[in-house]
Amino acid sequence: MEACGLGETMRSQLQKWDSLECGKAEQDRDTAALLLTVTRRADETLLRRGELQRQLLHELREAKAAQRRSLVETEAEGRRAEREAEQRLRAEEGALAKTKTALARARWQRDQAQRQAAKLVHYADHAERVASRRAAEVERDGEWRVEQLRRDGLQRLQGAEVFSVAERPR
């Protein structure tokens, strides 16, 4: 009768052992799947970061090109406005009163064109600085997110290992 009781105890212990091994294997599969997911997310984040950097570089190039075109157009428009003002001034030299009025108007237009050109240059410089800051922010944010995902994955893996050690049959 003791042999039967011992056999039942042994069978019960073997069933518990099998159950623990199955649980451990399932936990290992879950940990591997989690690690794969974290790795995939990190890879996706790196790809997205690269895409964003390329897009930002493209946008910066377009903005610089637009700035140059705008500056050239503004300078040409300023020169044209200045030429027109000078022509009006010479055409009006016959009458002193008309000449003074035309001269004042031409000078104002020239100054206005120069101020406008200076404002556009200032705006273009500002836009370039803002774009550079944004590029740096995107880069820092991307690196930070990758690092957070990596740390999270490592913490989960370490937690799984600690759990595995703690739950290992002794």
Side-chain angles (χ1 to χ4, degrees):
M1 205 183 237
E2 276 184 41
C4 281
L6 184 58
E8 285 296 318
T9 303
M10 186 63 106
R11 187 176 304 123
S12 170
Q13 290 298 322
L14 286 174
Q15 286 174 347
K16 286 181 184 178
W17 179 261
D18 285 343
S19 172
L20 284 173
E21 281 185 351
C22 288
K24 172 71 170 103
E26 185 176 328
Q27 183 183 12
D28 288 346
R29 281 190 307 272
D30 291 347
T31 301
L34 179 61
L35 183 58
L36 181 62
T37 300
V38 167
T39 303
R40 193 174 296 134
R41 284 184 183 166
D43 290 344
E44 289 170 356
T45 301
L46 287 173
L47 286 173
R48 179 67 178 143
R49 176 182 172 207
E51 290 171 5
L52 288 173
Q53 285 176 337
R54 283 188 295 278
Q55 181 183 1
L56 182 60
L57 284 174
H58 177 70
E59 289 175 3
L60 280 173
R61 286 184 190 122
E62 286 182 355
K64 285 181 181 180
Q67 172 192 359
R68 284 190 294 269
R69 285 190 304 271
S70 176
L71 184 58
V72 167
E73 290 172 2
T74 302
E75 287 174 345
E77 185 179 324
R79 287 189 298 271
R80 183 186 54 77
E82 189 173 2
R83 280 192 308 271
E84 288 175 1
E86 292 297 328
Q87 287 173 356
R88 281 193 303 269
L89 178 62
R90 282 191 298 274
E92 304 255 337
E93 283 180 342
L96 182 59
K98 290 180 181 180
T99 302
K100 288 181 180 181
T101 304
L103 177 62
R105 188 176 343 121
R107 285 182 178 162
W108 181 84
Q109 287 176 347
R110 183 192 64 214
D111 292 343
Q112 187 68 17
Q114 288 174 345
R115 282 191 298 273
Q116 194 174 23
K119 284 181 184 178
L120 286 174
V121 167
H122 175 73
Y123 173 77
D125 290 343
H126 174 72
E128 183 178 2
R129 286 191 306 273
V130 168
S132 295
R133 279 196 310 264
R134 286 181 182 163
E137 288 173 10
V138 165
E139 186 175 337
R140 282 192 308 272
D141 188 44
E143 290 172 359
W144 179 82
R145 288 177 188 225
V146 168
E147 182 61 25
Q148 289 300 104
L149 285 171
R150 188 187 67 75
R151 284 184 189 160
D152 185 50
L154 287 175
Q155 287 176 350
R156 288 180 183 213
L157 183 61
Q158 288 172 350
E161 289 173 356
V162 168
F163 181 78
S164 171
V165 168
E167 293 301 317
R168 186 178 295 148
R170 296 185 173 117

